[in-house]
């Protein structure tokens, strides 16, 4: 029988980094990090072969898939001590797409899947009422957008109205009662837009998200990107389902992204941002001002927001150790996503980080000097066409700047 689903976690990890064609880049690296003993929330990957089967068979799944997903979900339940759909102790999961190469235009992440009108009450009793209702409104908004096809702006408009009514500037200023009210508004919007209620069955939610991942493989943006980058349609995408860890559980929780080297200039320094009491989409959505991970970066950018190194020194030390280990293991600069839940660090992704031509040249040369890669490896990592960027005249970054005023607007030249 074909294996369509591969589990990963501290207790059982069936894949590794060499299996990116089958598990996608994200799934292969999650399995690899689990194999290394790093703190990875357990989960499973539905393979790229399922995507190909889906399109070759009138958008239907292999007969064995449901049973394999159920078995993998049971392993996640056992490792986390939570049950999917259980009202008292619910397991929540994230669902992400993952082709073998990064594919802009495919499905965005869905977080907090498994929440409904019953499980939100269980979360509120087990954790915190405000956190539970905040997570539920996030889930409805994300699922409504990327799975049900209701525009993101529909939900954002309702949130802005509520914040204005409450005199709140930041999301963090809203109370549990505010989020509970917004959940009701969001559900009413779903009913209005689709003439159907928001799905309450966690398994219906899960299969809806899985279907949305596969559907996103053939959206116009993804097709155009593949054509422009000579990516075969037959590669397909995998689906990654992973137990949720929460960066929005209070001041001892956070989420962030980091590079093991500076992707702009190639310097060997931790480069990244994080947010306290937030989930992953907050970092990239521009909702709040991200904070620097290191004190040095904070001082360089003249920021008055505390660095992670200052407010979470123990977690910061763990992150640096893991970053160093991942870079040494993959022998390349890494782009990392992480979450801190109540003081505990979790790794959500690692991949080779994108970089400028200048940074690529420096990183390759430095890694040769450090004995990490050979000269031949370094040369093979540099795109000859990208070197053209380095041959053009550029502005001196250390040149003196003067302030000029044009049409009454002050600008720096």
């Amino acid at each position: 029988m074909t294996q369509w689903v591969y589990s990963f976690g501290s207790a059982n990890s069936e894949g590794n980094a060499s299996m990116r064609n089958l598990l996608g880049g994200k799934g292969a690296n999650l399995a690899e990090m689990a194999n290394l003993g790093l703190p990875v929330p357990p989960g499973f990957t539905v393979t790229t072969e399922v995507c190909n089967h889906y399109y070759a068979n009138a958008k239907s799944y292999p007969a064995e898939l449901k049973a394999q997903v159920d078995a993998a979900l049971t392993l996640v339940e056992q490792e986390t001590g939570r049950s999917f759909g259980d009202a008292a102790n619910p397991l929540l999961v994230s669902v992400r797409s993952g082709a073998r190469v990064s594919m802009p235009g495919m499905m965005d992440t869905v977080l907090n899947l498994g929440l409904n009108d019953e499980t939100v009450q269980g979360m509120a009793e087990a954790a915190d009422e405000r956190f539970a209702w905040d997570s539920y409104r996030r889930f409805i908004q994300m699922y409504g957008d990327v799975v049900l096809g209701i525009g993101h702006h529909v939900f954002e408009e309702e949130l802005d109205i509520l914040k204005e009514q409450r005199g709140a500037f930041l999301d963090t200023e809203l109370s549990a009662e505010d989020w509970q009210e917004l959940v009701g508004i969001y559900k009413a919007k779903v009913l209005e837009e689709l003439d159907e209620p928001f799905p309450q069955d966690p398994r219906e939610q899960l299969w809806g998200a899985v279907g949305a991942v596969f559907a996103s493989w053939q959206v116009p943006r993804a097709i155009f990107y593949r054509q422009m980058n000579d990516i075969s349609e037959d590669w397909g995408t995998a689906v990654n389902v992973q137990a949720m860890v929460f960066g929005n559980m209070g001041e001892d929780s956070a989420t962030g992204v980091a590079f093991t080297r500076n992707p702009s200039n190639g310097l060997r320094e931790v480069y990244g941002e994080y947010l306290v009491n937030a989930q992953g989409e907050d970092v990239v959505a521009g909702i709040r001002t991200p904070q620097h991970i290191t004190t040095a970066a904070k001082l360089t950018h003249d920021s008055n927001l505390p660095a992670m190194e200052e407010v979470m020194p123990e977690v910061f030390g763990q992150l640096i150790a893991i970053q160093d280990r991942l870079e040494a293991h993959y022998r390349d600069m890494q782009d990392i996503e992480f979450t801190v839940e109540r003081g505990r660090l979790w790794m959500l992704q690692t991949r080779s980080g994108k970089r400028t031509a200048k940074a690529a040249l420096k990183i390759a040369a430095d890694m040769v000097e450090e004995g990490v890669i050979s000269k031949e490896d370094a040369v093979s990592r540099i795109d000859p066409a990208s070197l053209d960027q380095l041959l053009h005249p550029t502005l001196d970054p250390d040149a003196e700047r003067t302030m000029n005023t044009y049409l009454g607007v002050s600008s720096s030249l």
Side-chain angles (χ1 to χ4, degrees):
M1 183 174 64
T2 302
Q3 183 172 354
W4 304 103
V5 178
Y6 287 73
S7 294
F8 58 83
S10 62
N12 179 41
S13 192
E14 298 175 307
N16 57 62
S18 70
M19 299 170 66
R20 63 185 304 112
N21 290 358
L22 182 66
L23 304 179
K26 192 186 303 289
N29 286 332
L30 284 169
E32 187 75 5
M33 286 195 294
N35 289 332
L36 291 172
L38 300 182
V40 176
F44 57 89
T45 299
V46 180
T47 69
T48 57
E49 291 181 347
V50 176
C51 183
N52 291 329
H53 182 286
Y54 179 80
Y55 283 106
N57 294 273
K59 297 185 178 181
S60 65
Y61 298 121
E64 310 93 343
L65 182 63
K66 184 180 183 301
Q68 291 187 21
V69 166
D70 288 343
L73 197 55
T74 297
L75 291 177
V76 179
E77 291 176 327
Q78 292 172 351
E79 188 164 339
T80 61
R82 298 172 180 169
S83 298
F84 193 57
D86 182 71
N89 187 28
L91 167 69
L92 304 186
V93 298
S94 64
V95 179
R96 296 177 170 91
S97 60
R100 67 173 77 174
V101 296
S102 179
M103 280 280 297
M106 289 174 55
M107 194 198 85
D108 295 325
T109 299
V110 174
L111 303 178
N112 308 318
L113 190 146
L115 278 174
N116 58 27
D117 293 348
E118 292 185 355
T119 55
V120 70
Q121 298 290 350
M123 276 192 70
E125 293 176 10
D128 173 80
E129 190 172 8
R130 184 191 179 282
F131 155 74
W133 287 103
D134 176 31
S135 299
Y136 194 14
R137 68 92 186 175
R138 290 172 183 267
F139 171 53
I140 295 175
Q141 181 168 343
M142 299 178 79
Y143 195 92
D145 178 22
V146 305
V147 178
L148 302 180
I150 302 172
H152 182 76
H153 67 277
V154 172
F155 300 103
E156 280 299 310
E157 183 178 350
E158 296 298 337
L159 174 57
D160 290 341
I161 291 172
L162 182 64
K163 287 164 70 174
E164 184 175 353
Q165 291 174 346
R166 299 296 188 271
F169 179 71
L170 298 174
D171 294 358
T172 51
E173 296 170 358
L174 295 177
S175 67
E177 291 74 19
D178 294 330
W179 290 134
Q180 187 172 2
E181 179 179 338
L182 190 63
V183 164
I185 294 171
Y186 279 1
K187 287 165 60 181
K189 275 293 177 183
V190 171
L191 183 60
E192 177 186 325
E193 294 282 335
L194 303 180
D195 200 27
E196 292 182 1
F198 186 82
Q200 293 289 304
D201 182 351
R203 277 180 164 72
E204 178 186 347
Q205 296 171 358
L206 177 59
W207 285 105
V210 170
V213 172
F214 291 140
S216 71
W217 182 248
Q218 291 292 2
V219 297
R221 288 177 301 168
I223 293 172
F224 178 76
Y225 185 86
R226 289 200 296 272
Q227 292 171 343
M228 294 298 294
N229 292 274
D230 295 322
I231 295 173
S232 172
E233 183 178 321
D234 295 335
W235 285 6
T237 181
V239 182
N240 299 291
V241 180
Q242 189 172 24
M244 281 294 303
V245 288
F246 302 97
N248 60 327
M249 294 193 78
E251 296 304 306
D252 59 353
S253 301
T255 188
V257 295
F259 292 82
T260 56
R261 304 192 187 216
N262 190 314
S264 178
N265 56 31
L267 292 177
R268 188 169 189 178
E269 59 187 12
V270 179
Y271 181 96
E273 297 174 325
Y274 83 110
L275 278 175
V276 173
N277 195 17
Q279 285 199 326
E281 74 273 18
D282 296 340
V283 178
V284 296
I287 299 170
R288 291 162 54 190
T289 302
Q291 298 161 238
H292 295 284
I293 291 178
T294 66
T295 305
K298 168 193 167 182
L299 296 175
T300 298
H301 292 86
D302 196 26
S303 173
N304 59 358
L305 297 173
M308 183 180 183
E309 186 176 3
E310 297 172 316
V311 298
M312 298 180 174
E314 184 175 343
V315 174
F316 172 79
Q318 295 170 4
L319 178 64
I320 298 305
I322 289 175
Q323 286 193 164
D324 290 345
R325 187 175 176 188
L326 285 172
E327 183 175 278
H329 181 74
Y330 283 96
R331 300 168 57 246
D332 195 8
M333 182 259 278
Q334 294 296 292
D335 172 2
I336 293 166
E337 294 180 14
F338 64 89
T339 285
V340 181
E341 180 185 280
R342 290 182 169 172
R344 183 175 181 182
L345 177 64
W346 293 95
M347 305 306 297
L348 303 183
Q349 177 170 293
T350 191
R351 59 187 175 187
S352 293
K354 294 182 179 179
R355 64 209 77 177
T356 64
K358 177 182 177 181
L361 197 59
K362 178 168 178 53
I363 290 171
D366 287 352
M367 285 192 163
V368 170
E369 292 210 6
E370 294 163 12
V372 177
I373 61 176
S374 67
K375 290 182 179 180
E376 291 74 17
D377 286 336
V379 171
S380 68
R381 291 184 181 187
I382 305 300
D383 177 11
S386 70
L387 297 177
D388 183 59
Q389 299 176 27
L390 302 178
L391 301 177
H392 289 277
T394 59
L395 294 173
D396 182 355
D398 298 321
E400 182 180 353
R401 290 170 170 78
T402 58
M403 298 297 293
N404 292 334
T405 301
Y406 177 67
L407 295 179
V409 179
S410 179
S411 62
S412 177
L413 299 177

